Amino acid sequence: MARATKNVRKSGRRHPFATVALVAVGLLVTGAAYAGFSQTSATAEIDLNSASTISQGEKLFGANCATCHGAGAQGTKDGPSLVGAGAASVNFQVGTGRMPLAFQGPQGMVKPKQFSEEQTLQMAAYVASLGPGPGLPETRYLKGDGDVAAGGELFRINCAMCHNVAAAGGALTQGKMAPKLTGVPATHIYEAMVTGPQNMPVFSDTNISPQEKADIISYLKYIEEKPSVGGLTLGSLGPVAEGLFVWIIGLGAVVALTVWVTAKSN
Amino acid sequence: MAEEAKNSGVNDAVVAAQSHSADGAAVGTAVLSSDAVQNPGLPPHRERVTDLDPKKAKRAERTVYTLFYISIVGSLGAVLAYMFFPIETGELLAVRLHTMFVGIAMALALLAVGIGAVHWGKALMADHESIDERHPVPSNQETREDAAEVFTLADKESGFSRRSLVRNSLIGALIAFPLPGITLMRSLAPQDRDPVQLLKHTMWDKGIRLARDPSGVAIKASDVTIGSAFHVIPETLTHEEFSKLSLEERGGSENFLDAKAKAIVLLMRLDQSQLKELPDRKDWSYDGIVAYSKVCTHVGCPVALYEQHTHHLLCPCHQSQFDVSEHAKVVFGPAKRPLPQLPITVDKDGYLIAQSDFHEPVGPSFWERLK
């Protein structure tokens, strides 16, 4: 009880919460400084043709990719040659986390990416220096301000059979699949079209022109942003999702109703 | 009555059990079971709350008529929704609102009347157990004999058994009777032309350029990079060009979409070394570029799921798989024959052209198909 009567100052740096406040301020400052630092590094301009970028990329490649793709990227029995794969291919595969592969399987999957934007571009610069290939897309085709109707028609003719008419993705043969296209950055959509990753066919600029690619991207952005006019989309997966819904929810409701009708009243 | 039934059942069981234990004691250690399944009788009658408490019965009554009134409101609501959310404007949003409100109101009307009726039956209508005696299904012996006699007499008088030729020809006539119904299907096809010929010809012909779908822009061989897939139509298959063509040039189809449905082609370029070509079809491809009909030979879905590494084409409808590197032979699924190949080459300007029409009818099989 002596403690209770003791006159402790309850303000200033002796306040019980002073330590907590100090830690909070410390964390805030460190976090803000780090955020500012990482922001500057991410937006740093990278010259894909400069010798230093290419040599940086070569080092990264040697350390991370050469096991499968060979020391000079000429390919081994475990991985294809990357000569002529182009910067777009590297930016897509590494930028979406598909490369380096987690394991050999039917298909490389999207996973958290292992390299920073800068490192990815350095490797892209190195691979691009090995032989001519598709380059990074120009930003003016990635804005999503193209002709949505034309993009929709092109999408239905060229893409919908695998990726589903609502871009929800679909199954292919033997464990392979076409991923859904919603929530994918425009850069990656463009790069996938020009490089044809994994089992996707190539849609080069001579097949679908850059402007037409911009239209397709605009269409994908449009269907991503617009709510469905038909109400509940059930994932836009077509008969599979609808069938599952009816079997579980629909029949479940019928069973519940039947139980209620036949139960004795109390 | 229910109590009675219940009690008698219980008594029987008790008596049986007693006699059984008495027998067992007399014979020795053997346990003799009496009839394993005994009539349990009716369960005891349980009074419903609505029978015991007149207040609860009143409440159930209120619930039921409220549900019926809600149903009336729903029905009237559907009429009002039809009036206030018209679809005549043709706007998508209008259609959506119309469908939604009319649907909700009708669902309310039907569900409320249904639930109300069931609740009425369960909570308020007389509640007592009763037994319905099961009557034997067949009629009595006399009636059955009479019926058999009628049949025997009819057989004798008509000579149905005796005159076997007459009988068999009658059966034959009855079997043949539905056949005209099948032939009536013929009237679904064009009347003035032979449907078999129509199915055998498409718009492709010697020298027609391969063009992109839907723009109709012709494709140069140099445009097609390895691993590419192009969705192809004849260069003449655009709305403007199509209207200028004769019926012959349209592959016999008057309708644009009919013509397109027969003529669609998928074009792919493979590494030349990966193509396994038959000797007589060696010149059907050009520098690793091959073109196949996109119409599945199973039931005619568009086959266009192309995997550039495995060179397999997958049909999304029934999972038929075709190997493009080997004349689109069937590697899996219900399709019975390869996709028809379009023989192609290049003209002097470097554009891809067809060497001829398909050499066999595209799409699913039919009786008169030769191959």
Side-chain angles (χ1 to χ4, degrees), chain B residues 298-365:
Chain B
H298 177 219
V299 283
C301 289
V303 189
L305 280 69
Y306 175 57
E307 300 177 351
Q308 65 142 319
H309 283 182
T310 57
H311 308 306
H312 286 178
L313 264 174
L314 171 67
C315 179
C317 295
H318 305 113
Q319 279 67 49
S320 291
Q321 281 174 42
F322 304 89
D323 190 346
V324 173
S325 63
E326 219 177 328
H327 293 295
K329 69 165 186 184
V330 182
V331 289
F332 180 82
K336 280 286 173 287
R337 54 193 178 89
L339 295 170
Q341 185 173 4
L342 183 72
I344 54 166
T345 186
V346 287
D347 63 11
K348 59 180 174 15
D349 299 321
Y351 286 100
L352 290 166
I353 52 168
Q355 290 182 27
S356 67
D357 195 355
F358 289 104
H359 286 220
E360 53 181 306
V362 298
S365 303

Side-chain angles (χ1 to χ4, degrees), chain B residues 204 261-266 291-297 301 303 313 328 339-342 358 361-363:
Chain B
W204 292 108
K262 289 196 293 179
I264 45 173
V265 158
L266 193 67
Y292 288 97
S293 165
K294 226 160 87 174
V295 191
C296 186
T297 52
C301 289
V303 189
L313 264 174
L339 295 170
Q341 185 173 4
L342 183 72
F358 289 104
V362 298

